Amino acid sequence: MMSIRQRKEIKTTDVCEDFPAQEENAKLENKVPSGCTNRRLWTILSLTVGGTIALCIGLLTSVYLATLHENDLWFSNIKEVEREISFRTECGLYYSYYKQMLQAPTLMQGFHGLIYDNKTESMRTINLLQRMNIYQEVFLSILYRVLPIQKYLEPVYFYIYTLFGLQAIYVTALYITSWLLSGTWLSGLLAALWYVTNRIDTTRVEFTIPLRENWALPFFAIQIAAITYFLRPNLQPLSERLTLLAIFISTFLFSLTWQFNQFMMLMQALVLFILDSLDMLPAAKATWLYGIQITSLLLVCILQFFNSMILGSLLISFNLSVLIARKLQKNLKTGSFFNRLGKLLLHLFVVLCLTLFLNNVVKKILNLKSDEHIFKFLKAKFGLGATRDFDANLYLCEEAFGLLPFNTFERLSYTLLFYAYIFVLSITVIAALVVAFHNLSDSTNQQSMGKMGKCTINLKPETAYNLIHTILFGFLALSTMRMKYLWTSHMCVFASFGLCSPEVWELLLKSVHLYNPRRVIFLSYQFFFFWPGMMDELSELREFYDPDTVELMNWINSNTPRKAVFAGSMQLLAGVKLCTGRTLTNHPHYEDNSLRERTKAVYQIYAKRSPEEVHALLRSFGTDYVILEDSICYERRHRRGCRLRDLLDIANGHVSILATCGESPLGAGFQSES
């Protein structure tokens, strides 16, 4: 059979008698496998080199961040109480549960102490595993107790090294995502270098180690890399199943480790909805991803003892609404351009109404109020009405929840990241608009367009997914500075993909391939221009210094009973819980409605209230000691109208709501009354 096929290719008539022709066939047969073998070997070599570099640069980033942390605090030399104080605000609260599990006589007693906790909130027993995302601390404490490393590694180092190790996974996942999009590992290398050189805007792990996002974002990056691969066409069944498993595991771990998971995945679901509606994504694959999101959240809900905030999330309501609406509108992707556009608008309206209806029904049934402060904050933030609500104004006055500062773009431009990102974004947005228009046109127009330009204007599903992803998360970062770390890390991926991908350059210059020299230029610029600065940064040696807080913690340990109850600011009380183990009235984990009301009541010590009223409030929570802070009494961090005492006076109705704009002189005579 093989000889017959070969003869047809060389078009011989009398092959049996034509020995030279047979000889030529043998040569051709030898050449074809040789070429395939060379390509296969080259592919294996490229994968090996690229994969090795990915692991190496991930580990180097981890070591780099750990070294910066050590150099900044002299962590190895300071006292244990100073190490614990360095975990400020909610970071200290999360680490305290890791410490609590290690100090428990047995693991079962440690679990019992978390499930029936009466020290985090006085006069109340709460289930910490239900309320907070602290399974990572539980898992890490079990590992530390089981593994034979106690003699060689202190608990605090096991904790922080785990977080810095996750950063290695994070950078490797970003590298792989860029590699998958562009087809070259040089793109991944550029993404990783940009991540490191823009460290101020891409991560804050070295000074907020236990923060939930530092646990969650590496798994989120793995999920994005897996989705990018999953959206490729013509995947083998085994590869598709393994990729779906990777997506599910990473989505589950991301959901388990961060309380804001549902809001991030809601943005992701919106990406899938947009692409599915514009026919830029296979509907079956979108359905799989919707299902994975719902399943992951429900599993987390079970592990968190049926946390009502998860059941009442917008994500579950939205995903169910999309699947229901799709069944109701089966002919969504047929008809002329205007016909399809009308159907899409109707589809959007149906999904929106269903989402709000389902969400309101669930919240009514569960009597859920845990996330209402977020919607009050959003309403006030986008100018939909001024509010006296203390929680909403507290968020509005925090810089982290404000608009993204302009100097962020100056820093990103200094490394050329922002310029490259805007360049790539512009090209891909134009391509996406053209492809979307073609997809919405009727079949006749699509056929005519296909002959003229379908090959020249094309956008892969994985590219379209990452494009909409970066746009939506960009809007989120612009509106809320704290969320910029979701955007800036993906910005590194998207910009490097565009510079190193022939797909993007062919959209701009179909016949002139300039992408190879440009990527070498950018890699060289990143390495040679920023290497000296990174070395200088590593050579700077500082030391943690906070003698007042250290003295306070030592005084509490020496002069107060173990069962004493302390009231004060959320941020400082987290440190009190970690360093002294005393009982608190309130704490920084602000996702519970009753806790928010309690925090507002405790903060009345700084408001225009009589001593008798304040004393009665504090005693209702069993308070024995109150910590008053000069930094709050004489606050200068916020402008007038945004100081804590101003927010309380506005919420209590003691001053005009216009004070939030700083138009009225607040606080006159306030300090003497307090």
Side-chain angles (χ1 to χ4, degrees):
M1 294 294 290
M2 288 294 293
S3 59
I4 292 173
R5 289 179 182 174
Q6 188 64 43
R7 287 173 183 177
K8 285 183 179 180
E9 286 180 8
I10 60 174
K11 297 181 180 179
T12 56
T13 54
D14 194 5
V15 179
C16 294
E17 298 177 2
D18 192 357
F19 184 75
Q22 290 181 354
E23 218 172 14
E24 187 68 19
N25 290 343
K27 291 180 182 179
L28 287 171
E29 288 175 359
N30 290 333
K31 284 182 181 179
V32 172
S34 176
C36 292
T37 303
N38 289 337
R39 284 195 299 272
R40 192 177 296 111
L41 288 173
W42 177 253
T43 301
I44 293 171
L45 179 63
S46 178
L47 287 172
T48 304
V49 173
T52 303
I53 292 175
L55 293 175
C56 289
I57 200 164
L59 290 172
L60 285 173
T61 303
S62 176
V63 172
Y64 172 64
L65 293 172
T67 305
L68 288 178
H69 175 259
E70 168 64 24
N71 291 353
D72 196 45
L73 300 178
W74 204 5
F75 201 75
S76 60
N77 194 64
I78 58 179
K79 300 175 182 178
E80 185 66 21
V81 64
E82 292 176 311
R83 290 176 179 175
E84 292 178 348
I85 291 171
S86 70
F87 299 139
R88 297 190 180 276
T89 64
E90 59 186 298
C91 299
L93 184 69
Y94 297 131
Y95 182 78
S96 72
Y97 301 123
Y98 170 72
K99 181 181 176 181
Q100 180 178 324
M101 281 290 293
L102 291 178
Q103 290 177 343
T106 64
L107 285 174
M108 290 307 298
Q109 286 177 302
F111 271 115
H112 186 273
L114 294 178
I115 296 173
Y116 300 98
D117 178 89
N118 54 14
K119 296 180 74 68
T120 301
E121 296 177 18
S122 60
M123 312 285 288
R124 184 184 293 168
T125 299
I126 61 173
N127 185 342
L128 293 169
L129 294 178
Q130 180 189 48
R131 182 81 71 80
M132 303 182 192
N133 298 71
I134 57 169
Y135 270 102
Q136 49 267 50
E137 276 74 23
V138 173
F139 177 71
L140 218 57
S141 63
I142 294 172
L143 272 184
Y144 186 80
R145 295 179 69 138
V146 171
L147 296 175
I149 57 175
Q150 289 87 348
K151 294 181 180 179
Y152 314 104
L153 197 63
E154 296 176 60
V156 66
Y157 277 107
F158 183 66
Y159 188 90
I160 66 172
Y161 285 167
T162 301
L163 266 300
F164 287 128
L166 280 176
Q167 285 297 301
I169 296 174
Y170 190 18
V171 173
T172 303
L174 297 177
Y175 181 109
I176 291 172
T177 304
S178 186
W179 185 358
L180 289 171
L181 286 170
S182 66
T184 171
W185 56 262
L186 286 175
S187 171
L189 179 58
L190 180 56
L193 288 176
W194 257 327
Y195 178 85
V196 175
T197 54
N198 293 278
R199 174 183 55 82
I200 295 174
D201 295 300
T202 55
T203 182
R204 49 178 174 170
V205 66
E206 74 270 20
F207 58 89
T208 59
I209 295 176
L211 209 61
R212 302 299 84 179
E213 68 186 48
N214 296 329
W215 284 97
L217 290 184
F219 300 120
F220 191 57
I222 293 171
Q223 186 219 40
I224 293 172
I227 290 175
T228 300
Y229 184 74
F230 175 68
L231 294 181
R232 286 184 164 188
N234 305 320
L235 281 182
Q236 296 295 324
L238 179 60
S239 298
E240 191 170 277
R241 286 195 291 269
L242 290 175
T243 307
L244 282 170
L245 179 63
I247 295 171
F248 170 72
I249 293 173
S250 56
T251 303
F252 169 71
L253 292 175
F254 170 69
S255 303
L256 188 65
T257 51
W258 198 13
Q259 68 268 29
F260 292 142
N261 58 71
Q262 54 182 285
F263 304 106
M264 303 306 103
M265 290 200 295
L266 178 61
M267 301 288 286
Q268 202 171 52
L270 286 172
V271 175
L272 298 173
F273 176 72
I274 293 170
L275 294 176
D276 185 22
S277 299
L278 296 176
D279 209 14
M280 299 172 72
L281 186 74
K285 291 190 174 184
T287 303
W288 271 108
L289 296 176
Y290 288 136
I292 286 174
Q293 286 189 336
I294 294 173
T295 307
S296 299
L297 267 190
L298 291 178
L299 281 176
V300 172
C301 181
I302 294 170
L303 283 175
Q304 289 192 311
F305 297 83
F306 296 95
N307 187 324
S308 59
M309 188 173 177
I310 295 177
L311 292 174
S313 67
L314 273 173
L315 175 67
I316 292 179
S317 301
F318 177 79
N319 284 5
L320 290 175
S321 300
V322 171
L323 297 176
I324 293 170
R326 186 190 289 171
K327 290 292 184 181
L328 295 175
Q329 292 179 284
K330 294 182 179 180
N331 297 323
L332 184 64
K333 298 179 180 180
T334 58
S336 63
F337 175 79
F338 290 105
N339 192 1
R340 285 194 61 179
L341 191 61
K343 288 181 180 180
L344 278 180
L345 293 175
L346 178 61
H347 183 63
L348 178 62
F349 179 75
V350 170
V351 169
L352 182 61
C353 291
L354 268 176
T355 301
L356 295 176
F357 173 74
L358 289 175
N359 194 249
N360 284 326
V361 168
V362 172
K363 286 184 175 179
K364 289 288 185 183
I365 294 173
L366 299 175
N367 193 26
L368 181 62
K369 296 181 180 179
S370 297
D371 58 354
E372 64 179 8
H373 65 298
I374 296 174
F375 297 104
K376 288 179 181 178
F377 160 70
L378 292 174
K379 181 180 176 181
K381 183 179 179 66
F382 294 110
L384 300 178
T387 178
R388 287 185 177 274
D389 186 75
F390 174 74
D391 302 317
N393 286 329
L394 191 65
Y395 279 117
L396 286 172
C397 288
E398 284 295 329
E399 185 181 358
F401 292 94
L403 299 177
L404 190 66
F406 185 76
N407 60 9
T408 304
F409 302 107
E410 294 178 352
R411 290 192 299 269
L412 295 175
S413 300
Y414 181 67
T415 61
L416 302 183
L417 171 60
F418 187 65
Y419 297 134
Y421 176 76
I422 292 299
F423 169 73
V424 176
L425 187 67
S426 302
I427 297 172
T428 48
V429 163
I430 293 171
L433 291 174
V434 173
V435 171
F437 177 78
H438 287 181
N439 291 345
L440 291 176
S441 300
D442 61 5
S443 56
T444 306
N445 285 342
Q446 283 185 1
Q447 289 175 3
S448 61
M449 288 285 185
K451 294 177 181 178
M452 297 174 58
K454 191 174 180 181
C455 295
T456 59
I457 301 177
N458 188 24
L459 204 64
K460 298 175 183 176
E462 60 267 32
T463 305
Y465 168 79
N466 281 274
L467 170 65
I468 309 299
H469 175 98
T470 197
I471 290 174
L472 290 187
F473 279 84
F475 282 123
L476 181 64
L478 290 172
S479 64
T480 308
M481 189 186 76
R482 185 176 178 180
M483 298 301 174
K484 73 174 179 179
Y485 302 101
L486 289 160
W487 184 42
T488 50
S489 58
H490 195 265
M491 187 187 290
C492 299
V493 171
F494 200 75
S496 61
F497 139 71
L499 290 179
C500 299
S501 171
E503 178 187 356
V504 172
W505 286 98
E506 285 173 3
L507 288 171
L508 184 66
L509 302 169
K510 188 173 184 296
S511 58
V512 182
H513 300 278
L514 297 175
Y515 42 90
N516 284 329
R518 285 180 180 257
R519 67 188 175 199
V520 172
I521 290 171
F522 272 88
L523 284 167
S524 303
Y525 176 81
Q526 294 295 311
F527 184 79
F528 291 107
F529 193 78
F530 293 100
W531 179 260
M534 292 168 64
M535 291 299 100
D536 290 341
E537 194 174 28
L538 287 173
S539 65
E540 292 181 10
L541 301 177
R542 303 183 184 90
E543 182 180 358
F544 177 84
Y545 185 73
D546 190 357
D548 294 338
T549 308
V550 171
E551 184 181 359
L552 172 65
M553 300 304 169
N554 290 334
W555 184 89
I556 292 173
N557 277 320
S558 304
N559 298 280
T560 64
R562 290 288 300 174
K563 294 185 178 180
V565 178
F566 278 79
S569 69
M570 296 182 289
Q571 294 79 5
L572 185 58
L573 287 183
V576 172
K577 171 77 168 61
L578 171 59
C579 299
T580 70
R582 300 305 191 264
T583 305
L584 313 179
T585 56
N586 55 304
H587 54 82
H589 196 270
Y590 217 53
E591 271 63 57
D592 181 73
N593 186 54
S594 60
L595 175 65
R596 292 195 295 271
E597 292 175 354
R598 175 181 282 219
T599 299
K600 181 182 174 182
V602 170
Y603 279 0
Q604 297 302 314
I605 57 178
Y606 297 108
K608 293 180 179 178
R609 302 288 290 270
S610 68
E612 292 79 12
E613 288 179 295
V614 174
H615 182 266
L617 283 170
L618 293 175
R619 288 306 299 163
S620 68
F621 305 129
T623 307
D624 298 312
Y625 295 87
V626 180
I627 303 174
L628 289 169
E629 298 174 57
D630 286 343
S631 59
I632 297 178
C633 290
Y634 307 106
E635 187 172 5
R636 291 181 175 83
R637 185 168 69 94
H638 290 108
R639 67 187 185 276
R640 181 168 293 187
C642 259
R643 297 170 300 187
L644 179 59
R645 58 185 189 268
D646 299 340
L647 298 180
L648 290 164
D649 292 339
I650 293 165
N652 294 337
H654 294 156
V655 297
S656 168
I657 198 170
L658 293 175
T660 56
C661 302
E663 296 177 7
S664 303
L666 301 181
F670 167 75
Q671 293 163 9
S672 60
E673 291 184 30
S674 295

